Amino acid sequence: MRVVLAEDLFLLRDGLVRLLRAHDFEIVAAVESGPELARALAESEPDVAVVDVRLPPTHTDEGLQCALEARRRRPGLPVLVLSQHVEQLYARELLADGSGAVGYLLKDRVFDAEQFVDAVRRVAGGGTAMDPQVIQQLLTRRSGDDRPLARLTPREREVLELMAQGRSNAAIAGRLVVTERAIAKHTANIFAKLGLEVSDDDNRRVLAVLAYLDQGR
Amino acid sequence: MSIDTRNGTRSGTRRTKGLAKAALRGLGLALVSLPLSALCFTLTLLSIALIPLGIGIVTTPYVLTRARTYANWRRVLAAEWGGVRIPPAYRPLPKDANPWERTFGMLSDPATRRELWWLLVDMTAGVVTALLPAALLLYPLEGFALAAGLWRVMPDPYWYGFVPVGDQASALGAGALALGLLFLAHFVTPSVLNAHYRLTRAVLSPSQGELSERVRVLTETRRDAVDTSAAELRRIERDLHDGAQARLVAMGMDLGTIEALLDKDPEQAKELIARTRRSSVEALSELRELVHGIHPPVLAERGLGDAVRALALRLPVATEVNVELPGRAEAPVESAAYFAVSEVLTNAVKHAGADRIWVDLHHAEGHLRVSVTDNGKGGAVIGAGSGLTGVERRLGTFDGVLAVSSPAGGPTMVTMEIPCELS
């Protein structure tokens, strides 16, 4: 799998390159600034781009803007954005075009190499990987003033949280150490309580969840 | 002794030269300032009178700018000739203000009112005081001329001062008076011209009360700013010391232990490694929160508008954010405004019991205006240990102001205004 990597801190870039190589990814470009990233994304056709939000020369959200721009030119280009902090605002912008294949994770997640690599693979495969922190913010925000969420059982909330992060039923089952059938039952209940259409597609599932959480603002 | 005499003579010569110079300058000043001041005064009044017709909107800024240039020239003269410094105190205008904003911005400036008043004073009392030195010098000359024989051609009786001149004797008396006057002029001329400059200063410079009020406000806000930033530094130091720093020390210790255990007890070493990793994650998240408290990342990356939007997204209350900012303010202003909004929003969530909040951010007439409105129960006041006092202080550093309208039963509307330019 071919990866374009953008990260301005040498130590982190170096570590990410080594981590991804160790998991059999091919690094086609590892760049350190916005313009270099734009060039790399235009020239090589990566399977996935792993991008830091804050990049030189502006040291603002140059990385995010580059990624969004690249996705405008090549819709559905898988992009995983890493950041020192996560903001719903940015998550929304990434999810806005509705074509999936996006991820938005806290940089800390690379501490758990397996989970991180899993997220990269999921995004490259057209799925989503939203940081648990973003999802938690969304859930706590909406739970205060919304009936349907309050009707969920604690287990269902757990499942919803993992689902909104972009995990498949199989992954959720593995995570919660239950059978896949139990998860399927939970998800059906959740969809019914939230009034969402049932779908087999992982990616649409997340978008539906996020759209629900997003509504009424 | 001889040195003293020479010095005396030299200073006497200098004095005489100074006298002539003062007289010439005064004469010149009077001749120039009378028509110019009158012209400026009339044109300004005319231009203001034409504002209802629309013409004044275009001409007033132009005329007022010319009047300011003239006043500034007189300031320079007062400083160079009289050693009297008159600080200009015009309010700055936004760079790309339209004629309407320019006209009313300039007219509402206290300096403009002062200047109009000065023009009036200058063409009356100002001209008289400017003419006096020349008059004090020329009038004795007339007396000497009379004594020398000019009295013959003058009508009879001709009054020179209080002396009626009719024959040679009285003409000599006039000459004596002239000598006396010249002697007097020798001493008073410099101070008379100085009086002219001081008159200019008295009318043209900002009043003492205005300045001392400004100084009082500045002193207060500076002390507040220093206090707040010192407290902030102490908090950061404590947080670092008790949090991330302690964790990093513990991690170093654990790593040492792991090194020792690696061969002896691999199982326990593995457990310790897991623990160390958890610690590092916790240290990171603590650092992140600390950074967020100092300067929120979205603020650095996107500016005030999006930072407030991001803030609103995290609130447990539905919040509508409306932003109209064509550019970014300077970082300290952005930061102050952000934390002020954050504090006000926290108040609304905690105390108002609101279920909807509206935030409006826009920039107009050189001011950043922020209003936060909630439909809660109201009753918020500045002071009495409320967070709003802190907000007021924060804004005060930037000459910003805070207004709260919060009748019991609500709604509460907090408005903040900070003068600043956007880039």
Side-chain angles (χ1 to χ4, degrees):
Chain A
M1 217 173 265
R2 294 154 46 82
V3 183
V4 164
L5 181 70
E7 162 64 59
D8 58 324
L9 297 176
F10 171 75
L11 275 178
L12 263 178
R13 186 170 68 242
D14 199 44
L16 279 170
V17 167
R18 228 172 307 149
L19 178 67
L20 290 172
R21 281 217 177 108
H23 287 83
D24 299 324
F25 285 90
E26 183 193 342
I27 310 287
V28 284
V31 300
E32 54 182 321
S33 75
E36 283 176 307
L37 170 65
R39 216 175 311 128
L41 286 177
E43 282 168 8
S44 55
E45 298 250 303
D47 296 313
V48 59
V50 179
V51 175
D52 183 10
V53 167
R54 201 183 286 199
L55 285 181
T58 58
H59 284 284
T60 58
D61 59 346
E62 182 119 10
L64 181 67
Q65 299 300 348
C66 262
L68 289 173
E69 176 58 31
R71 272 170 70 86
R72 265 192 289 277
R73 269 186 282 109
R74 208 184 114 192
L77 168 74
V79 173
L80 173 64
V81 174
L82 294 178
S83 177
Q84 211 69 258
H85 63 104
V86 290
E87 290 290 345
Q88 281 189 47
L89 199 70
Y90 295 177
R92 278 152 205 271
E93 285 173 0
L94 279 165
L95 291 165
D97 63 8
S99 54
V102 286
Y104 181 45
L105 292 181
L106 211 51
K107 272 187 184 165
D108 305 10
R109 306 295 168 213
V110 300
F111 275 104
D112 192 332
E114 289 304 325
Q115 265 194 53
F116 173 69
V117 168
D118 178 48
V120 179
R121 288 220 173 89
R122 214 156 64 220
V123 170
T128 53
M130 284 293 125
D131 199 275
Q133 208 166 306
V134 174
I135 304 302
Q136 244 160 27
Q137 276 178 18
L138 283 169
L139 287 175
T140 43
R141 212 202 94 78
R142 298 298 301 172
S143 63
D145 55 337
D146 233 278
R147 300 286 119 224
L149 275 182
R151 289 207 302 267
L152 297 184
T153 64
R155 199 42 191 267
E156 282 165 0
R157 284 183 63 94
E158 252 178 304
V159 174
L160 174 64
E161 222 174 291
L162 289 166
M163 196 160 68
Q165 287 169 23
R167 292 169 196 280
S168 64
N169 278 1
I172 299 173
R175 196 54 197 270
L176 298 179
V177 210
V178 288
T179 61
E180 221 180 310
R181 278 200 39 205
I183 297 299
K185 223 180 79 196
H186 283 311
T187 50
N189 282 343
I190 294 169
F191 285 139
K193 282 182 184 173
L194 300 188
L196 295 169
E197 279 178 48
V198 183
S199 156
D200 292 335
D201 187 336
D202 275 354
N203 166 27
R204 274 191 40 209
R205 210 163 69 147
V206 174
L207 292 182
V209 172
L210 290 173
Y212 163 74
L213 293 168
D214 209 20
Q215 73 188 218
R217 300 196 52 86
Chain B
M1 194 57 153
S2 65
I3 295 173
D4 277 349
T5 323
R6 240 196 344 253
N7 266 358
T9 327
R10 201 175 281 167
S11 83
T13 324
R14 209 184 297 141
R15 188 146 199 154
T16 315
K17 267 190 191 162
L19 201 68
K21 209 196 254 171
L24 273 176
R25 280 175 174 176
L27 188 63
L29 251 178
L31 288 179
V32 174
S33 71
L34 182 60
L36 279 183
S37 294
L39 186 71
C40 283
F41 186 72
T42 332
L43 281 182
T44 311
L45 284 192
L46 190 67
S47 181
I48 293 174
L50 285 177
I51 288 179
L53 291 179
I55 305 168
I57 297 290
V58 186
T59 55
T60 306
Y62 182 77
V63 172
L64 284 180
T65 311
R66 284 304 126 106
R68 282 181 184 187
T69 314
Y70 171 59
N72 281 333
W73 174 63
R74 294 291 298 276
R75 284 189 173 96
V76 172
L77 286 190
E80 279 188 359
W81 291 359
V84 176
R85 284 185 41 78
I86 310 167
Y90 299 114
R91 281 187 195 159
L93 278 176
K95 264 169 267 162
D96 44 355
N98 58 39
W100 183 271
E101 287 166 2
R102 267 181 189 285
T103 302
F104 289 101
M106 287 175 101
L107 283 182
S108 64
D109 190 341
T112 304
R113 256 169 281 152
R114 269 198 305 273
E115 213 164 84
L116 266 178
W117 174 232
W118 165 70
L119 286 172
L120 200 62
V121 171
D122 188 58
M123 58 191 175
T124 50
V127 168
V128 171
T129 46
L131 269 179
L132 259 179
L136 276 174
L137 204 64
L138 290 177
Y139 199 54
L141 291 188
E142 190 196 344
F144 294 143
L146 282 173
L150 189 70
W151 64 275
R152 283 175 215 279
V153 297
M154 289 298 177
D156 187 35
Y158 180 79
W159 286 86
Y160 180 78
F162 53 86
V163 182
V165 181
D167 49 19
Q168 187 59 50
S170 55
L172 282 178
L177 177 61
L179 199 66
L181 278 177
L182 195 63
F183 185 70
L184 194 70
H186 192 261
F187 292 105
V188 300
T189 304
S191 50
V192 167
L193 197 60
N194 228 4
H196 169 82
Y197 298 130
R198 263 180 279 153
L199 178 71
T200 309
R201 179 171 67 184
V203 189
L204 210 47
S205 67
S207 70
Q208 205 60 40
E210 216 173 298
L211 282 179
S212 54
E213 168 65 14
R214 180 85 191 119
V215 168
R216 192 188 62 73
V217 170
L218 284 179
T219 314
E220 207 164 277
T221 51
R222 186 188 59 180
R223 198 185 46 229
D224 282 350
V226 171
D227 282 355
T228 337
S229 67
E232 192 80 336
L233 278 179
R234 273 196 303 277
R235 182 186 67 79
I236 294 166
E237 190 272 337
R238 204 175 42 234
D239 285 358
L240 274 176
H241 185 265
D242 298 348
Q245 217 173 342
R247 273 189 208 288
L248 287 171
V249 171
M251 276 163 59
M253 244 160 42
D254 283 351
L255 283 172
T257 319
I258 291 166
E259 222 167 16
L261 283 176
L262 219 46
D263 296 324
K264 272 194 288 181
D265 189 350
E267 269 314 301
Q268 209 192 333
K270 238 187 218 168
E271 224 169 83
L272 262 183
I273 289 174
R275 198 174 90 183
T276 312
R277 200 168 65 185
R278 273 200 306 278
S279 286
S280 78
V281 172
E282 275 158 24
L284 261 180
S285 84
E286 257 165 33
L287 283 174
R288 188 164 43 239
E289 258 157 46
L290 200 62
V291 167
H292 212 279
I294 299 169
H295 193 70
V298 205
L299 188 61
E301 288 161 7
R302 290 282 184 88
L304 186 60
D306 275 353
V308 171
R309 281 201 189 100
L311 186 65
L313 285 174
R314 281 198 299 269
L315 292 183
V317 177
T319 307
E320 205 172 293
V321 182
N322 190 7
V323 180
E324 264 174 70
L325 297 175
R328 290 189 64 168
E330 278 173 35
V333 174
E334 272 196 333
S335 177
Y338 175 85
F339 284 108
V341 173
S342 165
E343 180 75 41
V344 171
L345 284 174
T346 313
N347 271 354
V349 171
K350 264 203 226 156
H351 308 300
D355 59 7
R356 269 201 102 72
I357 303 176
W358 296 267
V359 183
D360 183 78
L361 285 146
H362 69 273
H363 187 268
E365 294 155 38
H367 285 76
L368 173 69
R369 297 215 175 95
V370 186
S371 68
V372 179
T373 314
D374 69 59
N375 62 355
K377 62 181 187 322
V381 281
I382 304 180
S386 77
L388 288 175
T389 314
V391 173
E392 200 176 30
R393 283 186 174 187
R394 216 183 255 283
L395 298 179
T397 320
F398 298 91
D399 284 339
V401 288
L402 172 79
V404 178
S405 150
S406 182
T412 300
M413 183 168 176
V414 179
T415 315
M416 292 167 265
E417 207 176 76
I418 311 175
C420 69
E421 293 300 319
L422 298 186
S423 60

